Amino acid sequence: MTLTHYGCSTFCCMDLPLDQALDLVLNKTNRIEIMSEGYHDLFRFREACHSVDARYSVHAPISDINLASVNDRIRRTSLEVIDDLCGICDDINAETLVVHPGYFPWSHMQTEAREALVKSLASLSAIQSEHDTRIAVENMGSWECFVFRNPEFLSELEHCDIGFVLDVGHAQLNNQLMEFANKSRPCHIHLHDNTGTNDDHAACGDGTIDFTALLPLLPVPASRIIECRDFSGYEKSLAYLSSVEDLVCRKKVPLL
């Protein structure tokens, strides 16, 4: 096992039971992010984590919760799920819980959805204070229905002492990657690539992101998770990012 600082999301092996996914990833890194969906749903399969010596982060469910819902019953239920998942994160000593900010179903409801999300952030801050896990919100991709696609929303996170997850692929899709990199101090980073059109979650180096320019802008303390669609993408990204780091060092560009 290589104790690489580039961790791996189980998103790359969602077809495997969680115990098998953890064994696969542990061959390369002990920094593992669990996508709590399907076979990796921690509400059902958390016990698999206790048999693995790893540094965990957790990605909250993406399909069944909406923190920006204008339906307050859905929004409050989503917060309850996050609260319960924080308890599981404490149990497995997960350092970070990644959450999506939510979405709106109709364009004319964008303002209301943003207001709902701001209300949810205050609740997340209260939830975070009762747990050991850091809650962090991720910037989203280019679908029009998503909230938080540009750096303008960062101030709302800071106001509530909620962490920021920089998803470099999502930022690239919105032509906001360098804006995010220059204006934010993420505590957690998702690394993958695309060509600026689709959210491919391709291997780093297979798209158009300039990682040579990006890596020096990323804060060193931030945890880094490669989030590709398959495990070979993780392995390819690991080799590519290592070569980029070597190049940056040869150019004597200081890492922040």
Side-chain angles (χ1 to χ4, degrees):
M1 178 180 66
T2 301
L3 300 179
T4 174
H5 58 289
Y6 287 110
C8 181
S9 168
T10 65
F11 177 70
C12 70
C13 45
M14 295 298 290
D15 58 326
L16 296 178
L18 182 55
D19 58 343
Q20 294 181 28
L22 295 178
D23 286 343
L24 174 67
V25 173
L26 199 62
N27 286 322
K28 289 292 183 180
T29 178
N30 72 334
R31 186 182 288 274
I32 304 174
E33 180 159 302
I34 300 171
M35 173 67 77
S36 187
E37 288 266 7
Y39 293 155
H40 303 176
D41 181 356
L42 290 176
F43 288 101
R44 295 191 290 162
F45 305 117
R46 79 165 93 175
E47 291 306 317
C49 302
H50 293 302
S51 61
V52 175
D53 183 16
R55 293 183 62 183
Y56 290 118
S57 56
V58 172
H59 199 307
I62 59 177
S63 58
D64 296 325
I65 64 174
N66 183 7
L67 295 175
S69 178
V70 298
N71 183 326
D72 211 45
R73 293 175 67 183
I74 293 175
R75 189 185 67 82
R76 290 199 309 269
T77 300
S78 298
L79 287 166
E80 290 174 4
V81 172
I82 296 300
D83 192 7
D84 290 344
L85 190 54
C86 276
I88 295 175
C89 288
D90 289 346
D91 179 54
I92 66 172
N93 296 315
E95 299 170 5
T96 306
L97 174 60
V98 178
V99 299
H100 280 188
Y103 57 91
F104 47 93
W106 310 102
S107 60
H108 61 271
M109 301 182 76
Q110 181 174 358
T111 299
E112 292 177 65
R114 178 193 167 96
E115 292 171 353
L117 176 57
V118 169
K119 189 184 298 185
S120 292
L121 292 182
S123 297
L124 288 178
S125 182
I127 291 169
Q128 180 176 248
S129 69
E130 297 175 354
H131 296 278
D132 296 327
T133 300
R134 176 71 161 154
I135 297 176
V137 176
E138 176 181 345
N139 62 294
M140 297 308 296
S142 58
W143 287 7
E144 294 290 335
C145 63
F146 284 140
V147 183
F148 190 23
R149 294 168 54 200
N150 61 62
E152 175 265 338
F153 197 76
L154 288 168
S155 60
E156 300 288 356
L157 300 184
E158 294 169 3
H159 177 72
C160 293
D161 190 32
I162 297 297
F164 170 51
V165 180
L166 173 59
D167 187 297
V168 303
H170 293 169
Q172 174 79 350
L173 290 173
N174 289 301
N175 297 310
Q176 296 287 319
L177 180 52
M178 287 300 113
E179 283 290 305
F180 270 115
N182 283 300
K183 293 183 177 180
S184 68
R185 295 288 293 181
C187 64
H188 195 75
I189 301 165
H190 282 167
L191 295 157
H192 52 97
D193 212 340
N194 60 63
T195 59
T197 303
N198 297 311
D199 193 13
D200 300 317
H201 282 261
C204 298
D206 280 359
T208 56
I209 293 177
D210 184 352
F211 284 95
T212 303
L214 176 65
L215 290 189
L217 300 177
L218 302 179
V220 170
S223 44
R224 304 179 185 206
I225 299 293
I226 296 171
E227 193 181 54
C228 292
R229 290 196 179 276
D230 53 55
F231 191 66
S232 63
Y234 171 76
E235 294 178 307
K236 187 173 183 179
S237 296
L238 199 57
Y240 175 75
L241 292 172
S242 296
S243 68
V244 171
E245 285 192 345
D246 289 343
L247 177 62
V248 169
C249 289
R250 287 200 300 273
K251 288 184 175 181
K252 297 183 179 180
V253 179
L255 296 174
L256 297 182

PDB file of all heavy atoms in Angstrom, residues 21-43:
ATOM      1  N   ALA A  21     -14.755  -2.881  -2.171  1.00  0.00           N
ATOM      2  CA  ALA A  21     -14.277  -1.588  -2.671  1.00  0.00           C
ATOM      3  C   ALA A  21     -13.155  -1.050  -1.789  1.00  0.00           C
ATOM      4  O   ALA A  21     -12.140  -0.541  -2.286  1.00  0.00           O
ATOM      5  CB  ALA A  21     -15.439  -0.592  -2.733  1.00  0.00           C
ATOM      6  N   LEU A  22     -13.327  -1.158  -0.474  1.00  0.00           N
ATOM      7  CA  LEU A  22     -12.295  -0.686   0.447  1.00  0.00           C
ATOM      8  C   LEU A  22     -10.997  -1.468   0.273  1.00  0.00           C
ATOM      9  O   LEU A  22      -9.905  -0.885   0.287  1.00  0.00           O
ATOM     10  CB  LEU A  22     -12.795  -0.789   1.886  1.00  0.00           C
ATOM     11  CG  LEU A  22     -13.983   0.108   2.260  1.00  0.00           C
ATOM     12  CD1 LEU A  22     -14.407  -0.145   3.702  1.00  0.00           C
ATOM     13  CD2 LEU A  22     -13.669   1.581   2.035  1.00  0.00           C
ATOM     14  N   ASP A  23     -11.103  -2.772   0.108  1.00  0.00           N
ATOM     15  CA  ASP A  23      -9.903  -3.589  -0.108  1.00  0.00           C
ATOM     16  C   ASP A  23      -9.182  -3.186  -1.388  1.00  0.00           C
ATOM     17  O   ASP A  23      -7.943  -3.122  -1.431  1.00  0.00           O
ATOM     18  CB  ASP A  23     -10.281  -5.073  -0.182  1.00  0.00           C
ATOM     19  CG  ASP A  23     -10.626  -5.659   1.173  1.00  0.00           C
ATOM     20  OD1 ASP A  23     -10.275  -5.041   2.194  1.00  0.00           O
ATOM     21  OD2 ASP A  23     -11.251  -6.742   1.214  1.00  0.00           O
ATOM     22  N   LEU A  24      -9.948  -2.913  -2.447  1.00  0.00           N
ATOM     23  CA  LEU A  24      -9.356  -2.512  -3.720  1.00  0.00           C
ATOM     24  C   LEU A  24      -8.599  -1.197  -3.583  1.00  0.00           C
ATOM     25  O   LEU A  24      -7.435  -1.074  -3.993  1.00  0.00           O
ATOM     26  CB  LEU A  24     -10.449  -2.384  -4.786  1.00  0.00           C
ATOM     27  CG  LEU A  24     -10.014  -1.835  -6.146  1.00  0.00           C
ATOM     28  CD1 LEU A  24      -9.070  -2.814  -6.844  1.00  0.00           C
ATOM     29  CD2 LEU A  24     -11.233  -1.558  -7.034  1.00  0.00           C
ATOM     30  N   VAL A  25      -9.248  -0.219  -2.994  1.00  0.00           N
ATOM     31  CA  VAL A  25      -8.636   1.111  -2.871  1.00  0.00           C
ATOM     32  C   VAL A  25      -7.431   1.071  -1.949  1.00  0.00           C
ATOM     33  O   VAL A  25      -6.416   1.747  -2.185  1.00  0.00           O
ATOM     34  CB  VAL A  25      -9.680   2.130  -2.369  1.00  0.00           C
ATOM     35  CG1 VAL A  25      -9.022   3.471  -2.068  1.00  0.00           C
ATOM     36  CG2 VAL A  25     -10.794   2.308  -3.403  1.00  0.00           C
ATOM     37  N   LEU A  26      -7.504   0.263  -0.889  1.00  0.00           N
ATOM     38  CA  LEU A  26      -6.429   0.212   0.093  1.00  0.00           C
ATOM     39  C   LEU A  26      -5.128  -0.312  -0.496  1.00  0.00           C
ATOM     40  O   LEU A  26      -4.054  -0.117   0.081  1.00  0.00           O
ATOM     41  CB  LEU A  26      -6.860  -0.654   1.282  1.00  0.00           C
ATOM     42  CG  LEU A  26      -6.086  -0.477   2.589  1.00  0.00           C
ATOM     43  CD1 LEU A  26      -6.246   0.946   3.119  1.00  0.00           C
ATOM     44  CD2 LEU A  26      -6.550  -1.480   3.626  1.00  0.00           C
ATOM     45  N   ASN A  27      -5.192  -0.943  -1.655  1.00  0.00           N
ATOM     46  CA  ASN A  27      -3.966  -1.372  -2.334  1.00  0.00           C
ATOM     47  C   ASN A  27      -3.130  -0.190  -2.791  1.00  0.00           C
ATOM     48  O   ASN A  27      -1.925  -0.337  -3.045  1.00  0.00           O
ATOM     49  CB  ASN A  27      -4.312  -2.240  -3.549  1.00  0.00           C
ATOM     50  CG  ASN A  27      -4.786  -3.628  -3.156  1.00  0.00           C
ATOM     51  OD1 ASN A  27      -4.264  -4.212  -2.223  1.00  0.00           O
ATOM     52  ND2 ASN A  27      -5.770  -4.147  -3.875  1.00  0.00           N
ATOM     53  N   LYS A  28      -3.774   0.978  -2.926  1.00  0.00           N
ATOM     54  CA  LYS A  28      -3.069   2.162  -3.426  1.00  0.00           C
ATOM     55  C   LYS A  28      -2.949   3.281  -2.403  1.00  0.00           C
ATOM     56  O   LYS A  28      -1.985   4.038  -2.421  1.00  0.00           O
ATOM     57  CB  LYS A  28      -3.803   2.699  -4.664  1.00  0.00           C
ATOM     58  CG  LYS A  28      -3.673   1.822  -5.899  1.00  0.00           C
ATOM     59  CD  LYS A  28      -2.246   1.818  -6.434  1.00  0.00           C
ATOM     60  CE  LYS A  28      -2.129   1.012  -7.706  1.00  0.00           C
ATOM     61  NZ  LYS A  28      -0.749   1.008  -8.232  1.00  0.00           N
ATOM     62  N   THR A  29      -3.960   3.424  -1.535  1.00  0.00           N
ATOM     63  CA  THR A  29      -3.947   4.555  -0.601  1.00  0.00           C
ATOM     64  C   THR A  29      -4.777   4.225   0.624  1.00  0.00           C
ATOM     65  O   THR A  29      -5.732   3.441   0.548  1.00  0.00           O
ATOM     66  CB  THR A  29      -4.502   5.830  -1.270  1.00  0.00           C
ATOM     67  OG1 THR A  29      -4.510   6.900  -0.317  1.00  0.00           O
ATOM     68  CG2 THR A  29      -5.920   5.618  -1.787  1.00  0.00           C
ATOM     69  N   ASN A  30      -4.413   4.817   1.753  1.00  0.00           N
ATOM     70  CA  ASN A  30      -5.222   4.654   2.958  1.00  0.00           C
ATOM     71  C   ASN A  30      -6.139   5.851   3.189  1.00  0.00           C
ATOM     72  O   ASN A  30      -6.818   5.929   4.211  1.00  0.00           O
ATOM     73  CB  ASN A  30      -4.325   4.430   4.185  1.00  0.00           C
ATOM     74  CG  ASN A  30      -3.581   5.690   4.603  1.00  0.00           C
ATOM     75  OD1 ASN A  30      -3.326   6.579   3.789  1.00  0.00           O
ATOM     76  ND2 ASN A  30      -3.212   5.756   5.863  1.00  0.00           N
ATOM     77  N   ARG A  31      -6.163   6.788   2.244  1.00  0.00           N
ATOM     78  CA  ARG A  31      -7.084   7.932   2.332  1.00  0.00           C
ATOM     79  C   ARG A  31      -8.266   7.637   1.408  1.00  0.00           C
ATOM     80  O   ARG A  31      -8.116   7.655   0.174  1.00  0.00           O
ATOM     81  CB  ARG A  31      -6.382   9.228   1.928  1.00  0.00           C
ATOM     82  CG  ARG A  31      -7.255  10.470   2.129  1.00  0.00           C
ATOM     83  CD  ARG A  31      -6.534  11.727   1.661  1.00  0.00           C
ATOM     84  NE  ARG A  31      -5.463  12.107   2.559  1.00  0.00           N
ATOM     85  CZ  ARG A  31      -5.620  12.855   3.648  1.00  0.00           C
ATOM     86  NH1 ARG A  31      -6.815  13.278   3.995  1.00  0.00           N
ATOM     87  NH2 ARG A  31      -4.588  13.171   4.400  1.00  0.00           N
ATOM     88  N   ILE A  32      -9.406   7.359   1.981  1.00  0.00           N
ATOM     89  CA  ILE A  32     -10.548   6.860   1.220  1.00  0.00           C
ATOM     90  C   ILE A  32     -11.781   7.715   1.492  1.00  0.00           C
ATOM     91  O   ILE A  32     -12.109   8.001   2.649  1.00  0.00           O
ATOM     92  CB  ILE A  32     -10.863   5.393   1.590  1.00  0.00           C
ATOM     93  CG1 ILE A  32      -9.630   4.508   1.374  1.00  0.00           C
ATOM     94  CG2 ILE A  32     -12.045   4.869   0.783  1.00  0.00           C
ATOM     95  CD1 ILE A  32      -9.814   3.068   1.858  1.00  0.00           C
ATOM     96  N   GLU A  33     -12.451   8.110   0.413  1.00  0.00           N
ATOM     97  CA  GLU A  33     -13.748   8.780   0.544  1.00  0.00           C
ATOM     98  C   GLU A  33     -14.853   7.812   0.147  1.00  0.00           C
ATOM     99  O   GLU A  33     -14.824   7.241  -0.948  1.00  0.00           O
ATOM    100  CB  GLU A  33     -13.815  10.031  -0.334  1.00  0.00           C
ATOM    101  CG  GLU A  33     -15.163  10.756  -0.213  1.00  0.00           C
ATOM    102  CD  GLU A  33     -15.077  12.207  -0.639  1.00  0.00           C
ATOM    103  OE1 GLU A  33     -14.256  12.953  -0.041  1.00  0.00           O
ATOM    104  OE2 GLU A  33     -15.797  12.592  -1.575  1.00  0.00           O
ATOM    105  N   ILE A  34     -15.820   7.627   1.023  1.00  0.00           N
ATOM    106  CA  ILE A  34     -16.922   6.710   0.767  1.00  0.00           C
ATOM    107  C   ILE A  34     -18.110   7.486   0.217  1.00  0.00           C
ATOM    108  O   ILE A  34     -18.616   8.405   0.870  1.00  0.00           O
ATOM    109  CB  ILE A  34     -17.322   5.963   2.044  1.00  0.00           C
ATOM    110  CG1 ILE A  34     -16.137   5.148   2.578  1.00  0.00           C
ATOM    111  CG2 ILE A  34     -18.527   5.063   1.788  1.00  0.00           C
ATOM    112  CD1 ILE A  34     -16.368   4.543   3.936  1.00  0.00           C
ATOM    113  N   MET A  35     -18.538   7.121  -0.983  1.00  0.00           N
ATOM    114  CA  MET A  35     -19.757   7.671  -1.561  1.00  0.00           C
ATOM    115  C   MET A  35     -20.933   6.902  -0.969  1.00  0.00           C
ATOM    116  O   MET A  35     -21.184   5.750  -1.324  1.00  0.00           O
ATOM    117  CB  MET A  35     -19.728   7.527  -3.084  1.00  0.00           C
ATOM    118  CG  MET A  35     -21.024   7.917  -3.777  1.00  0.00           C
ATOM    119  SD  MET A  35     -21.431   9.662  -3.662  1.00  0.00           S
ATOM    120  CE  MET A  35     -20.302  10.351  -4.883  1.00  0.00           C
ATOM    121  N   SER A  36     -21.635   7.519  -0.042  1.00  0.00           N
ATOM    122  CA  SER A  36     -22.661   6.815   0.727  1.00  0.00           C
ATOM    123  C   SER A  36     -23.952   6.656  -0.080  1.00  0.00           C
ATOM    124  O   SER A  36     -24.985   7.266   0.211  1.00  0.00           O
ATOM    125  CB  SER A  36     -22.942   7.538   2.050  1.00  0.00           C
ATOM    126  OG  SER A  36     -23.807   6.786   2.853  1.00  0.00           O
ATOM    127  N   GLU A  37     -23.849   5.816  -1.102  1.00  0.00           N
ATOM    128  CA  GLU A  37     -24.975   5.501  -1.983  1.00  0.00           C
ATOM    129  C   GLU A  37     -24.913   4.006  -2.313  1.00  0.00           C
ATOM    130  O   GLU A  37     -23.848   3.388  -2.286  1.00  0.00           O
ATOM    131  CB  GLU A  37     -24.879   6.286  -3.299  1.00  0.00           C
ATOM    132  CG  GLU A  37     -25.164   7.773  -3.190  1.00  0.00           C
ATOM    133  CD  GLU A  37     -26.620   8.094  -3.493  1.00  0.00           C
ATOM    134  OE1 GLU A  37     -27.425   7.159  -3.658  1.00  0.00           O
ATOM    135  OE2 GLU A  37     -26.938   9.286  -3.577  1.00  0.00           O
ATOM    136  N   GLY A  38     -26.043   3.419  -2.673  1.00  0.00           N
ATOM    137  CA  GLY A  38     -26.070   2.052  -3.182  1.00  0.00           C
ATOM    138  C   GLY A  38     -25.391   1.055  -2.269  1.00  0.00           C
ATOM    139  O   GLY A  38     -25.676   0.979  -1.069  1.00  0.00           O
ATOM    140  N   TYR A  39     -24.444   0.270  -2.835  1.00  0.00           N
ATOM    141  CA  TYR A  39     -23.724  -0.734  -2.059  1.00  0.00           C
ATOM    142  C   TYR A  39     -22.791  -0.123  -1.015  1.00  0.00           C
ATOM    143  O   TYR A  39     -22.245  -0.853  -0.179  1.00  0.00           O
ATOM    144  CB  TYR A  39     -22.886  -1.624  -2.984  1.00  0.00           C
ATOM    145  CG  TYR A  39     -23.683  -2.511  -3.913  1.00  0.00           C
ATOM    146  CD1 TYR A  39     -23.131  -2.954  -5.108  1.00  0.00           C
ATOM    147  CD2 TYR A  39     -24.979  -2.917  -3.603  1.00  0.00           C
ATOM    148  CE1 TYR A  39     -23.835  -3.782  -5.965  1.00  0.00           C
ATOM    149  CE2 TYR A  39     -25.697  -3.735  -4.453  1.00  0.00           C
ATOM    150  CZ  TYR A  39     -25.125  -4.162  -5.640  1.00  0.00           C
ATOM    151  OH  TYR A  39     -25.822  -4.973  -6.486  1.00  0.00           O
ATOM    152  N   HIS A  40     -22.606   1.187  -1.077  1.00  0.00           N
ATOM    153  CA  HIS A  40     -21.702   1.863  -0.140  1.00  0.00           C
ATOM    154  C   HIS A  40     -22.474   2.727   0.856  1.00  0.00           C
ATOM    155  O   HIS A  40     -21.880   3.584   1.520  1.00  0.00           O
ATOM    156  CB  HIS A  40     -20.692   2.720  -0.905  1.00  0.00           C
ATOM    157  CG  HIS A  40     -19.885   1.954  -1.896  1.00  0.00           C
ATOM    158  ND1 HIS A  40     -18.975   2.564  -2.745  1.00  0.00           N
ATOM    159  CD2 HIS A  40     -19.836   0.630  -2.202  1.00  0.00           C
ATOM    160  CE1 HIS A  40     -18.420   1.640  -3.524  1.00  0.00           C
ATOM    161  NE2 HIS A  40     -18.933   0.465  -3.203  1.00  0.00           N
ATOM    162  N   ASP A  41     -23.766   2.508   0.954  1.00  0.00           N
ATOM    163  CA  ASP A  41     -24.632   3.260   1.861  1.00  0.00           C
ATOM    164  C   ASP A  41     -24.226   2.970   3.307  1.00  0.00           C
ATOM    165  O   ASP A  41     -24.387   1.859   3.800  1.00  0.00           O
ATOM    166  CB  ASP A  41     -26.086   2.843   1.619  1.00  0.00           C
ATOM    167  CG  ASP A  41     -27.073   3.583   2.509  1.00  0.00           C
ATOM    168  OD1 ASP A  41     -26.643   4.378   3.375  1.00  0.00           O
ATOM    169  OD2 ASP A  41     -28.290   3.356   2.339  1.00  0.00           O
ATOM    170  N   LEU A  42     -23.705   3.989   3.982  1.00  0.00           N
ATOM    171  CA  LEU A  42     -23.198   3.780   5.336  1.00  0.00           C
ATOM    172  C   LEU A  42     -24.302   3.552   6.358  1.00  0.00           C
ATOM    173  O   LEU A  42     -24.034   3.052   7.458  1.00  0.00           O
ATOM    174  CB  LEU A  42     -22.321   4.966   5.753  1.00  0.00           C
ATOM    175  CG  LEU A  42     -20.978   5.055   5.021  1.00  0.00           C
ATOM    176  CD1 LEU A  42     -20.230   6.315   5.420  1.00  0.00           C
ATOM    177  CD2 LEU A  42     -20.132   3.825   5.275  1.00  0.00           C
ATOM    178  N   PHE A  43     -25.524   3.900   6.020  1.00  0.00           N
ATOM    179  CA  PHE A  43     -26.630   3.579   6.918  1.00  0.00           C
ATOM    180  C   PHE A  43     -26.876   2.071   6.970  1.00  0.00           C
ATOM    181  O   PHE A  43     -27.457   1.559   7.914  1.00  0.00           O
ATOM    182  CB  PHE A  43     -27.906   4.295   6.480  1.00  0.00           C
ATOM    183  CG  PHE A  43     -27.878   5.778   6.741  1.00  0.00           C
ATOM    184  CD1 PHE A  43     -27.616   6.673   5.719  1.00  0.00           C
ATOM    185  CD2 PHE A  43     -28.102   6.281   8.016  1.00  0.00           C
ATOM    186  CE1 PHE A  43     -27.587   8.039   5.955  1.00  0.00           C
ATOM    187  CE2 PHE A  43     -28.067   7.646   8.265  1.00  0.00           C
ATOM    188  CZ  PHE A  43     -27.810   8.529   7.231  1.00  0.00           C
TER     189      PHE A  43
END
